[in-house]
Coordinates of all heavy atoms in Angstrom, one line a residue:
M10 N 0.8 -1.2 0.0 CA 0.0 0.0 0.0 C 0.9 1.3 0.0 O 0.5 2.3 -0.6 CB -0.9 0.0 1.2 CG -1.8 1.2 1.3 SD -2.9 1.3 2.8 CE -3.3 -0.4 3.1
F11 N 2.0 1.2 0.7 CA 2.9 2.4 0.8 C 4.2 2.1 0.1 O 5.2 2.9 0.3 CB 3.1 2.7 2.2 CG 1.9 3.2 3.0 CD1 1.3 2.3 3.8 CD2 1.4 4.4 2.9 CE1 0.1 2.6 4.5 CE2 0.3 4.8 3.6 CZ -0.4 3.9 4.4
A12 N 4.2 1.1 -0.8 CA 5.5 0.7 -1.4 C 6.2 1.8 -2.2 O 7.4 1.9 -2.2 CB 5.3 -0.5 -2.3
N13 N 5.4 2.7 -2.8 CA 6.0 3.8 -3.6 C 6.1 5.1 -2.9 O 6.5 6.1 -3.5 CB 5.2 4.0 -4.9 CG 5.2 2.7 -5.8 OD1 6.2 2.1 -5.9 ND2 4.1 2.4 -6.4
D14 N 5.8 5.1 -1.6 CA 5.9 6.3 -0.8 C 7.2 6.5 -0.1 O 7.8 5.5 0.3 CB 4.7 6.4 0.2 CG 3.4 6.4 -0.4 OD1 3.3 6.7 -1.6 OD2 2.4 6.2 0.3
T15 N 7.7 7.7 0.0 CA 8.9 8.0 0.7 C 8.6 9.2 1.7 O 7.9 10.1 1.4 CB 10.1 8.4 -0.2 OG1 9.7 9.5 -1.0 CG2 10.5 7.2 -1.1
V16 N 9.3 9.1 2.9 CA 9.1 10.1 3.9 C 10.5 10.5 4.4 O 11.3 9.6 4.6 CB 8.2 9.5 5.1 CG1 8.2 10.5 6.3 CG2 6.8 9.2 4.6
I17 N 10.7 11.8 4.5 CA 11.9 12.3 5.2 C 11.4 13.0 6.4 O 10.5 13.9 6.4 CB 12.7 13.2 4.3 CG1 13.1 12.5 3.0 CG2 13.9 13.8 5.1 CD1 13.8 13.4 2.0
I18 N 11.9 12.6 7.6 CA 11.6 13.2 8.9 C 12.8 14.0 9.4 O 13.8 13.5 9.6 CB 11.2 12.1 9.9 CG1 10.1 11.3 9.4 CG2 10.9 12.8 11.3 CD1 9.9 10.0 10.2
Y19 N 12.6 15.3 9.5 CA 13.6 16.2 10.1 C 13.2 16.3 11.6 O 12.2 16.8 11.9 CB 13.6 17.5 9.5 CG 14.2 17.6 8.1 CD1 13.4 17.3 7.0 CD2 15.5 17.8 7.8 CE1 13.9 17.3 5.7 CE2 16.0 17.8 6.6 CZ 15.2 17.6 5.5 OH 15.7 17.6 4.2
G20 N 14.1 15.7 12.5 CA 13.8 15.7 13.9 C 14.9 16.2 14.7 O 15.9 16.6 14.2
K21 N 14.7 16.1 16.0 CA 15.7 16.4 17.0 C 15.7 15.5 18.2 O 14.6 14.9 18.4 CB 15.6 17.9 17.4 CG 14.3 18.2 18.2 CD 14.3 19.7 18.6 CE 13.1 20.0 19.4 NZ 13.1 21.3 19.9
E22 N 16.7 15.4 18.9 CA 16.8 14.6 20.1 C 15.8 15.0 21.1 O 15.6 16.2 21.3 CB 18.3 14.7 20.7 CG 18.5 13.6 21.7 CD 20.0 13.7 22.2 OE1 20.9 13.9 21.3 OE2 20.2 13.5 23.4
G23 N 15.2 14.0 21.7 CA 14.2 14.2 22.8 C 12.8 14.6 22.3 O 12.0 15.0 23.1
C24 N 12.6 14.5 21.0 CA 11.3 14.9 20.4 C 10.4 13.7 20.4 O 10.6 12.8 19.6 CB 11.5 15.5 19.0 SG 10.1 15.8 18.1
G25 N 9.3 13.8 21.2 CA 8.4 12.7 21.2 C 7.6 12.5 19.9 O 7.4 11.3 19.5
Y26 N 7.2 13.6 19.3 CA 6.5 13.4 18.0 C 7.4 12.9 16.9 O 7.0 12.3 15.9 CB 5.8 14.7 17.6 CG 4.6 15.0 18.4 CD1 4.6 16.1 19.3 CD2 3.5 14.2 18.3 CE1 3.4 16.3 20.1 CE2 2.4 14.4 19.0 CZ 2.3 15.5 19.9 OH 1.2 15.7 20.7
C27 N 8.7 13.2 17.0 CA 9.7 12.6 16.0 C 9.7 11.1 16.2 O 9.7 10.4 15.2 CB 11.1 13.2 16.3 SG 11.2 15.0 16.1
T28 N 9.8 10.6 17.4 CA 9.7 9.2 17.7 C 8.4 8.6 17.2 O 8.4 7.5 16.5 CB 9.9 8.9 19.2 OG1 11.2 9.5 19.6 CG2 9.9 7.4 19.5
L29 N 7.3 9.2 17.4 CA 6.0 8.7 17.0 C 6.0 8.6 15.4 O 5.4 7.7 14.9 CB 4.9 9.6 17.5 CG 4.5 9.4 19.0 CD1 3.5 10.5 19.4 CD2 4.0 8.0 19.3
S30 N 6.5 9.6 14.8 CA 6.6 9.6 13.3 C 7.3 8.4 12.8 O 6.9 7.8 11.8 CB 7.2 10.9 12.8 OG 6.4 12.0 13.2
K31 N 8.5 8.2 13.4 CA 9.3 7.0 12.9 C 8.5 5.7 13.2 O 8.5 4.8 12.3 CB 10.6 7.0 13.7 CG 11.6 8.1 13.3 CD 13.0 7.9 13.8 CE 13.0 8.1 15.3 NZ 14.4 8.0 15.9
Q32 N 7.9 5.6 14.3 CA 7.1 4.4 14.7 C 6.0 4.2 13.7 O 5.7 3.1 13.3 CB 6.6 4.5 16.1 CG 7.7 4.3 17.2 CD 7.2 4.6 18.6 OE1 6.1 5.1 18.8 NE2 8.0 4.2 19.5
L33 N 5.3 5.3 13.3 CA 4.2 5.2 12.4 C 4.7 4.6 11.0 O 4.1 3.7 10.4 CB 3.5 6.5 12.2 CG 2.3 6.6 11.3 CD1 1.1 5.8 12.0 CD2 1.8 8.0 11.1
C34 N 5.8 5.1 10.6 CA 6.4 4.7 9.3 C 6.8 3.2 9.4 O 6.5 2.4 8.5 CB 7.6 5.5 8.9 SG 7.2 7.2 8.4
E35 N 7.3 2.8 10.5 CA 7.7 1.4 10.7 C 6.5 0.5 10.8 O 6.5 -0.6 10.2 CB 8.6 1.3 12.0 CG 10.0 1.9 11.8 CD 10.8 2.1 13.0 OE1 10.3 1.7 14.1 OE2 11.9 2.7 13.0
E36 N 5.5 0.9 11.5 CA 4.3 0.1 11.6 C 3.6 -0.2 10.3 O 3.2 -1.3 10.0 CB 3.3 0.9 12.5 CG 2.0 0.1 12.7 CD 1.0 0.9 13.6 OE1 1.4 1.9 14.3 OE2 -0.2 0.5 13.7
Y37 N 3.6 0.8 9.4 CA 3.0 0.6 8.1 C 4.0 0.4 7.0 O 3.6 0.4 5.8 CB 2.1 1.8 7.8 CG 0.9 1.9 8.7 CD1 0.8 2.7 9.8 CD2 -0.2 1.0 8.5 CE1 -0.3 2.7 10.6 CE2 -1.3 1.0 9.3 CZ -1.3 1.8 10.4 OH -2.4 1.8 11.2
K38 N 5.2 0.1 7.4 CA 6.3 -0.2 6.4 C 6.4 0.8 5.3 O 6.5 0.5 4.1 CB 6.0 -1.6 5.8 CG 6.0 -2.7 6.9 CD 5.8 -4.1 6.3 CE 5.8 -5.2 7.3 NZ 5.5 -4.9 8.7
I39 N 6.4 2.1 5.8 CA 6.7 3.2 4.9 C 8.2 3.5 4.9 O 8.8 3.7 5.9 CB 5.9 4.4 5.3 CG1 4.4 4.1 5.4 CG2 6.2 5.6 4.4 CD1 3.6 5.2 6.1
S40 N 8.7 3.5 3.7 CA 10.2 3.9 3.6 C 10.4 5.3 4.1 O 9.7 6.2 3.6 CB 10.6 3.7 2.1 OG 11.9 4.2 2.0
Y41 N 11.3 5.4 5.0 CA 11.6 6.8 5.6 C 13.1 7.0 5.9 O 13.8 6.0 6.0 CB 10.8 7.1 6.8 CG 11.3 6.4 8.1 CD1 12.1 7.1 9.0 CD2 10.9 5.1 8.4 CE1 12.6 6.5 10.1 CE2 11.4 4.5 9.6 CZ 12.2 5.2 10.4 OH 12.7 4.6 11.6
E42 N 13.5 8.2 5.9 CA 14.8 8.6 6.2 C 14.7 9.6 7.4 O 13.8 10.5 7.3 CB 15.5 9.3 5.1 CG 16.9 9.8 5.4 CD 17.5 10.5 4.2 OE1 17.1 10.3 3.0 OE2 18.5 11.2 4.4
Y43 N 15.4 9.4 8.4 CA 15.4 10.3 9.6 C 16.6 11.1 9.6 O 17.8 10.6 9.6 CB 15.3 9.5 10.9 CG 15.1 10.4 12.1 CD1 13.9 10.9 12.4 CD2 16.2 10.7 12.9 CE1 13.7 11.7 13.5 CE2 16.1 11.5 14.0 CZ 14.8 12.1 14.3 OH 14.6 12.9 15.4
R44 N 16.4 12.4 9.7 CA 17.6 13.4 9.7 C 17.5 14.1 11.0 O 16.5 14.6 11.4 CB 17.5 14.3 8.5 CG 17.6 13.6 7.2 CD 17.6 14.6 6.0 NE 17.7 13.8 4.8 CZ 17.5 14.3 3.6 NH1 17.2 15.6 3.5 NH2 17.6 13.6 2.5
S45 N 18.6 14.1 11.7 CA 18.7 14.7 13.1 C 19.3 16.0 13.1 O 20.4 16.3 12.5 CB 19.5 13.7 13.9 OG 19.5 14.1 15.3
L46 N 18.7 17.0 13.8 CA 19.2 18.3 14.0 C 20.6 18.3 14.5 O 21.0 17.6 15.4 CB 18.3 19.1 14.9 CG 18.7 20.6 15.3 CD1 18.6 21.4 14.0 CD2 17.8 21.1 16.3
E47 N 21.4 19.2 13.9 CA 22.9 19.4 14.2 C 23.8 18.2 13.7 O 24.9 18.4 13.5 CB 23.1 19.6 15.7 CG 22.4 20.9 16.2 CD 22.7 22.2 15.4 OE1 23.8 22.3 14.8 OE2 21.8 23.0 15.4
K48 N 23.2 17.0 13.6 CA 24.0 15.9 13.0 C 23.9 15.9 11.5 O 24.9 15.8 10.8 CB 23.5 14.6 13.6 CG 24.3 13.4 13.1 CD 23.7 12.1 13.7 CE 24.4 10.9 13.0 NZ 23.7 9.7 13.3
D49 N 22.7 16.0 11.0 CA 22.4 16.0 9.6 C 22.0 17.3 8.9 O 22.1 17.4 7.7 CB 21.3 14.9 9.3 CG 21.6 13.6 9.8 OD1 22.8 13.1 9.6 OD2 20.8 13.0 10.5
F50 N 21.6 18.2 9.7 CA 21.2 19.5 9.2 C 21.2 20.6 10.3 O 21.2 20.2 11.5 CB 19.8 19.5 8.5 CG 18.7 19.2 9.5 CD1 18.0 20.3 10.1 CD2 18.4 18.0 10.0 CE1 17.0 20.1 11.0 CE2 17.4 17.7 10.9 CZ 16.7 18.8 11.4
T51 N 21.2 21.8 9.9 CA 21.1 22.9 10.9 C 19.7 23.5 10.7 O 19.0 23.3 9.8 CB 22.1 24.0 10.6 OG1 21.8 24.7 9.3 CG2 23.5 23.5 10.6
I52 N 19.3 24.3 11.8 CA 18.0 25.0 11.7 C 17.9 25.8 10.5 O 16.9 25.8 9.8 CB 17.8 25.9 13.0 CG1 17.7 25.0 14.2 CG2 16.7 26.9 12.8 CD1 16.3 24.6 14.5
E53 N 19.0 26.5 10.2 CA 19.0 27.4 9.0 C 18.8 26.7 7.7 O 18.0 27.1 6.8 CB 20.3 28.2 9.0 CG 20.5 29.2 10.1 CD 21.0 28.6 11.4 OE1 21.4 27.4 11.4 OE2 20.8 29.3 12.4
E54 N 19.4 25.5 7.6 CA 19.3 24.7 6.3 C 17.9 24.3 6.1 O 17.3 24.4 5.0 CB 20.2 23.5 6.4 CG 21.7 23.9 6.2 CD 22.6 22.7 6.5 OE1 22.3 21.8 7.3 OE2 23.7 22.7 6.0
L55 N 17.2 23.8 7.2 CA 15.9 23.3 7.1 C 14.9 24.5 6.8 O 14.0 24.4 6.0 CB 15.4 22.6 8.3 CG 14.0 22.0 8.3 CD1 13.7 21.2 7.1 CD2 13.7 21.2 9.6
Y56 N 15.2 25.6 7.5 CA 14.3 26.8 7.4 C 14.4 27.3 6.0 O 13.4 27.9 5.4 CB 14.7 27.9 8.4 CG 13.6 28.9 8.6 CD1 12.5 28.6 9.5 CD2 13.6 30.1 8.0 CE1 11.5 29.5 9.7 CE2 12.5 31.0 8.2 CZ 11.5 30.7 9.0 OH 10.5 31.6 9.2
N57 N 15.5 27.2 5.3 CA 15.6 27.6 3.9 C 14.8 26.8 3.0 O 14.4 27.2 1.9 CB 17.1 27.7 3.5 CG 17.8 28.9 4.1 OD1 17.2 29.9 4.4 ND2 19.1 28.8 4.2
I58 N 14.6 25.5 3.3 CA 13.8 24.6 2.5 C 12.4 24.8 2.8 O 11.6 24.9 1.8 CB 14.2 23.1 2.8 CG1 15.6 22.8 2.5 CG2 13.2 22.2 2.1 CD1 16.1 21.5 3.0
K59 N 12.0 24.9 4.1 CA 10.6 25.1 4.4 C 10.6 25.8 5.8 O 11.0 25.3 6.8 CB 9.9 23.8 4.6 CG 8.4 23.9 5.0 CD 7.8 22.5 5.0 CE 6.3 22.6 5.3 NZ 5.9 23.1 6.5
P60 N 10.1 27.1 5.8 CA 9.9 27.8 7.1 C 9.0 27.0 8.0 O 8.0 26.4 7.6 CB 9.3 29.1 6.7 CG 9.7 29.3 5.3 CD 9.7 27.9 4.7
F61 N 9.4 26.9 9.3 CA 8.7 26.0 10.3 C 8.8 26.6 11.7 O 9.7 27.5 11.9 CB 9.2 24.6 10.2 CG 10.6 24.5 10.7 CD1 10.8 24.1 12.1 CD2 11.7 24.8 10.0 CE1 12.1 24.0 12.6 CE2 13.0 24.7 10.5 CZ 13.2 24.3 11.8
K62 N 8.0 26.1 12.6 CA 8.1 26.5 14.0 C 8.3 25.3 14.9 O 8.6 25.5 16.1 CB 6.8 27.2 14.3 CG 6.6 28.5 13.6 CD 5.3 29.2 14.0 CE 5.2 30.5 13.3 NZ 4.0 31.2 13.5
T63 N 7.9 24.1 14.5 CA 8.0 22.9 15.4 C 8.7 21.7 14.7 O 8.9 21.7 13.5 CB 6.5 22.5 15.8 OG1 5.8 22.1 14.6 CG2 5.8 23.6 16.5
F64 N 9.0 20.8 15.6 CA 9.5 19.5 15.1 C 8.5 18.4 15.4 O 7.8 18.5 16.4 CB 10.8 19.2 15.8 CG 12.0 19.9 15.3 CD1 12.5 21.1 15.8 CD2 12.6 19.4 14.1 CE1 13.5 21.8 15.3 CE2 13.7 20.1 13.6 CZ 14.2 21.3 14.2
P65 N 8.5 17.3 14.6 CA 9.3 17.2 13.4 C 8.8 17.9 12.2 O 7.6 18.4 12.3 CB 9.2 15.7 13.1 CG 7.8 15.3 13.6 CD 7.6 16.2 14.8
Q66 N 9.6 18.1 11.2 CA 9.1 18.5 9.9 C 9.2 17.4 8.9 O 10.2 16.7 8.8 CB 9.9 19.7 9.4 CG 9.6 21.0 10.1 CD 8.2 21.4 10.0 OE1 7.7 21.5 8.9 NE2 7.5 21.6 11.1
I67 N 8.1 17.1 8.3 CA 8.0 15.8 7.5 C 7.7 16.2 6.0 O 6.9 17.0 5.7 CB 6.9 14.9 8.1 CG1 7.3 14.5 9.5 CG2 6.7 13.7 7.2 CD1 6.2 13.8 10.3
F68 N 8.4 15.5 5.2 CA 8.3 15.6 3.7 C 7.7 14.2 3.2 O 8.4 13.2 3.4 CB 9.6 16.0 3.0 CG 10.0 17.4 3.3 CD1 10.5 17.8 4.5 CD2 9.8 18.4 2.3 CE1 10.8 19.1 4.8 CE2 10.1 19.7 2.6 CZ 10.7 20.0 3.8
Y69 N 6.6 14.3 2.6 CA 5.9 13.0 2.2 C 5.9 13.1 0.6 O 5.3 14.0 0.0 CB 4.5 13.0 2.7 CG 3.8 11.7 2.5 CD1 3.7 10.8 3.5 CD2 3.2 11.4 1.3 CE1 3.0 9.6 3.4 CE2 2.5 10.1 1.1 CZ 2.4 9.3 2.2 OH 1.8 8.1 2.0
N70 N 6.7 12.1 0.0 CA 6.8 12.1 -1.4 C 7.3 13.5 -2.0 O 6.8 14.0 -3.0 CB 5.5 11.7 -2.1 CG 5.2 10.2 -1.8 OD1 6.1 9.4 -1.6 ND2 3.9 9.9 -1.9
G71 N 8.2 14.1 -1.2 CA 8.9 15.3 -1.7 C 8.1 16.6 -1.3 O 8.6 17.7 -1.6
V72 N 7.0 16.5 -0.6 CA 6.2 17.7 -0.3 C 6.2 17.9 1.2 O 5.9 16.9 2.0 CB 4.7 17.5 -0.8 CG1 3.9 18.7 -0.4 CG2 4.7 17.3 -2.3
G73 N 6.5 19.1 1.7 CA 6.5 19.4 3.1 C 5.0 19.4 3.6 O 4.2 20.2 3.1
I74 N 4.7 18.5 4.5 CA 3.3 18.3 4.9 C 3.1 18.8 6.4 O 1.9 19.0 6.8 CB 2.8 16.9 4.8 CG1 3.6 15.9 5.7 CG2 2.8 16.4 3.4 CD1 3.0 14.6 5.9
G75 N 4.1 19.1 7.1 CA 4.0 19.5 8.5 C 4.6 18.5 9.4 O 5.7 18.0 9.2
G76 N 3.9 18.2 10.5 CA 4.4 17.3 11.5 C 3.7 15.9 11.6 O 3.1 15.4 10.7
Y77 N 3.8 15.4 12.8 CA 3.3 14.0 13.1 C 1.8 13.9 12.8 O 1.3 13.0 12.1 CB 3.5 13.6 14.5 CG 2.8 12.4 14.9 CD1 3.2 11.1 14.5 CD2 1.7 12.4 15.7 CE1 2.5 10.0 14.8 CE2 1.0 11.3 16.1 CZ 1.4 10.1 15.6 OH 0.7 8.9 16.0
A78 N 1.0 14.9 13.2 CA -0.5 14.8 13.0 C -0.8 14.8 11.5 O -1.7 14.0 11.1 CB -1.1 16.0 13.7
E79 N -0.1 15.6 10.7 CA -0.3 15.6 9.3 C 0.1 14.2 8.6 O -0.6 13.7 7.7 CB 0.4 16.7 8.6 CG -0.2 18.1 9.0 CD 0.2 18.6 10.4 OE1 1.2 18.1 10.9 OE2 -0.5 19.5 10.9
L80 N 1.2 13.7 9.1 CA 1.6 12.4 8.6 C 0.6 11.3 8.9 O 0.2 10.5 8.1 CB 3.0 12.0 9.2 CG 3.5 10.6 8.8 CD1 3.6 10.5 7.3 CD2 4.8 10.3 9.5
K81 N 0.1 11.3 10.2 CA -0.9 10.3 10.6 C -2.2 10.5 9.8 O -2.8 9.5 9.3 CB -1.2 10.5 12.1 CG -2.1 9.4 12.6 CD -2.3 9.6 14.1 CE -3.2 8.4 14.6 NZ -3.6 8.6 16.0
K82 N -2.6 11.7 9.5 CA -3.8 11.9 8.7 C -3.6 11.4 7.3 O -4.5 10.7 6.7 CB -4.1 13.4 8.6 CG -4.8 14.0 9.8 CD -5.0 15.5 9.7 CE -5.4 16.1 11.0 NZ -5.4 17.6 10.9
R83 N -2.5 11.6 6.7 CA -2.2 11.0 5.3 C -2.2 9.5 5.3 O -2.8 8.9 4.4 CB -0.8 11.5 4.8 CG -0.8 13.0 4.5 CD -0.4 13.2 3.1 NE -0.4 14.6 2.9 CZ 0.0 15.1 1.8 NH1 0.6 14.4 0.9 NH2 -0.1 16.4 1.6
V84 N -1.6 8.9 6.3 CA -1.6 7.5 6.4 C -3.0 6.9 6.6 O -3.4 6.0 5.9 CB -0.6 7.0 7.5 CG1 -0.8 5.5 7.8 CG2 0.8 7.3 7.2
E85 N -3.7 7.5 7.5 CA -5.1 7.0 7.8 C -6.0 7.2 6.5 O -6.8 6.4 6.2 CB -5.7 7.7 9.0 CG -5.1 7.3 10.3 CD -5.5 8.1 11.5 OE1 -6.1 9.2 11.3 OE2 -5.2 7.7 12.6
A86 N -5.8 8.3 5.8 CA -6.6 8.6 4.6 C -6.3 7.6 3.5 O -7.2 7.1 2.9 CB -6.4 10.0 4.1
K87 N -5.0 7.2 3.4 CA -4.7 6.2 2.4 C -5.2 4.8 2.7 O -5.7 4.1 1.9 CB -3.2 6.2 2.2 CG -2.7 5.4 1.0 CD -1.3 5.7 0.6 CE -1.0 5.0 -0.7 NZ 0.3 5.4 -1.2
I88 N -5.1 4.5 4.0 CA -5.7 3.2 4.4 C -7.2 3.2 4.2 O -7.7 2.2 3.7 CB -5.4 3.0 5.9 CG1 -3.9 2.7 6.1 CG2 -6.2 1.8 6.5 CD1 -3.4 2.8 7.5
T89 N -7.9 4.2 4.6 CA -9.3 4.3 4.4 C -9.7 4.2 2.9 O -10.6 3.4 2.5 CB -9.9 5.6 5.0 OG1 -9.6 5.6 6.4 CG2 -11.4 5.7 4.8
W90 N -9.0 4.9 2.1 CA -9.3 4.9 0.6 C -9.0 3.5 0.1 O -9.8 3.0 -0.7 CB -8.4 5.9 -0.1 CG -8.7 6.0 -1.6 CD1 -9.7 6.8 -2.2 CD2 -8.2 5.1 -2.6 NE1 -9.7 6.5 -3.5 CE2 -8.8 5.5 -3.8 CE3 -7.3 4.1 -2.7 CZ2 -8.5 4.9 -5.0 CZ3 -7.0 3.5 -3.9 CH2 -7.6 3.9 -5.0
N91 N -7.9 2.9 0.4 CA -7.5 1.6 -0.1 C -8.6 0.5 0.4 O -9.0 -0.3 -0.4 CB -6.1 1.2 0.4 CG -5.6 0.0 -0.3 OD1 -5.6 0.0 -1.6 ND2 -5.1 -1.0 0.4
T92 N -9.0 0.6 1.6 CA -10.0 -0.3 2.1 C -11.3 -0.1 1.4 O -11.9 -1.1 1.0 CB -10.2 -0.1 3.7 OG1 -8.9 -0.3 4.3 CG2 -11.2 -1.1 4.2
S93 N -11.7 1.1 1.2 CA -13.0 1.4 0.4 C -12.9 0.8 -1.0 O -13.8 0.3 -1.5 CB -13.3 2.9 0.4 OG -13.4 3.3 1.7
Y94 N -11.7 1.0 -1.6 CA -11.5 0.6 -3.0 C -11.6 -0.9 -3.1 O -12.3 -1.5 -3.9 CB -10.2 1.1 -3.5 CG -9.9 0.6 -4.9 CD1 -10.4 1.2 -6.0 CD2 -9.0 -0.5 -5.1 CE1 -10.2 0.8 -7.3 CE2 -8.7 -0.9 -6.4 CZ -9.3 -0.3 -7.5 OH -9.0 -0.8 -8.7
I95 N -11.0 -1.6 -2.2 CA -11.0 -3.1 -2.1 C -12.4 -3.6 -1.9 O -12.9 -4.5 -2.6 CB -10.0 -3.6 -1.1 CG1 -8.6 -3.4 -1.5 CG2 -10.3 -5.1 -0.8 CD1 -7.6 -3.6 -0.4
F96 N -13.1 -2.9 -1.0 CA -14.5 -3.3 -0.8 C -15.4 -3.1 -2.0 O -16.2 -4.0 -2.4 CB -15.1 -2.5 0.4 CG -16.5 -2.9 0.8 CD1 -16.8 -4.1 1.4 CD2 -17.5 -2.0 0.5 CE1 -18.1 -4.4 1.7 CE2 -18.8 -2.3 0.8 CZ -19.1 -3.5 1.4
A97 N -15.2 -2.0 -2.7 CA -16.0 -1.7 -3.9 C -15.7 -2.7 -5.0 O -16.6 -3.2 -5.7 CB -15.7 -0.3 -4.4
V98 N -14.4 -3.1 -5.2 CA -14.1 -4.1 -6.2 C -14.7 -5.4 -5.8 O -15.2 -6.1 -6.7 CB -12.5 -4.2 -6.3 CG1 -12.1 -5.4 -7.1 CG2 -12.0 -2.9 -6.9
H99 N -14.7 -5.8 -4.5 CA -15.3 -7.0 -4.1 C -16.8 -7.0 -4.4 O -17.3 -8.0 -4.9 CB -15.0 -7.2 -2.6 CG -15.7 -8.4 -2.0 ND1 -15.3 -9.7 -2.3 CD2 -16.8 -8.5 -1.2 CE1 -16.1 -10.5 -1.7 NE2 -17.0 -9.8 -1.0
L100 N -17.4 -5.9 -4.1 CA -18.9 -5.8 -4.4 C -19.2 -6.0 -5.9 O -20.1 -6.7 -6.3 CB -19.5 -4.5 -3.9 CG -19.7 -4.4 -2.4 CD1 -20.2 -3.0 -2.1 CD2 -20.7 -5.4 -2.0
L101 N -18.3 -5.4 -6.7 CA -18.5 -5.5 -8.2 C -18.4 -6.9 -8.6 O -19.2 -7.4 -9.5 CB -17.5 -4.6 -8.9 CG -17.8 -3.1 -8.9 CD1 -16.7 -2.3 -9.5 CD2 -19.1 -2.8 -9.7
H102 N -17.4 -7.6 -8.1 CA -17.2 -9.0 -8.5 C -18.3 -9.9 -8.0 O -18.7 -10.8 -8.7 CB -15.8 -9.5 -7.9 CG -14.7 -9.0 -8.7 ND1 -14.3 -9.5 -9.9 CD2 -13.8 -7.9 -8.5 CE1 -13.2 -8.9 -10.4 NE2 -13.0 -7.9 -9.5
T103 N -18.9 -9.5 -6.8 CA -19.9 -10.3 -6.3 C -21.2 -10.2 -7.1 O -21.9 -11.2 -7.4 CB -20.3 -9.8 -4.8 OG1 -19.1 -10.0 -4.0 CG2 -21.4 -10.6 -4.2
F104 N -21.5 -9.0 -7.6 CA -22.7 -8.8 -8.4 C -22.5 -9.3 -9.8 O -23.5 -9.6 -10.5 CB -23.1 -7.3 -8.4 CG -23.7 -6.9 -7.1 CD1 -23.1 -5.9 -6.3 CD2 -24.8 -7.4 -6.6 CE1 -23.6 -5.5 -5.1 CE2 -25.4 -7.1 -5.4 CZ -24.8 -6.1 -4.6
H105 N -21.3 -9.3 -10.3 CA -21.1 -9.8 -11.7 C -20.7 -11.2 -11.8 O -20.6 -11.8 -12.8 CB -20.0 -9.0 -12.3 CG -20.4 -7.5 -12.6 ND1 -21.2 -7.2 -13.6 CD2 -20.0 -6.4 -12.0 CE1 -21.4 -5.9 -13.6 NE2 -20.7 -5.4 -12.6
A106 N -20.7 -11.9 -10.7 CA -20.4 -13.3 -10.7 C -21.6 -14.2 -11.0 O -22.7 -13.9 -11.0 CB -19.9 -13.8 -9.3

């Protein structure tokens, strides 16, 4: 379901929502890269890519979407859509059988 999706998480040490974001990706087997403040980037470097106020900053398929809550919404929406699609296909096959 998420095989073609990529996520980059810009986080920092001690950030609970950064940890939750990584766990969400791992739970749904979403390919992700975690970048850590001061180790992999500076505040200035990230701010030049996307102005922000909080951590984590998440890029989903190359688009800055915000933080953990926005990532969770995207994941849940994709799961809901995929489940609805599978159900609809099943119904079509049932009626055409």
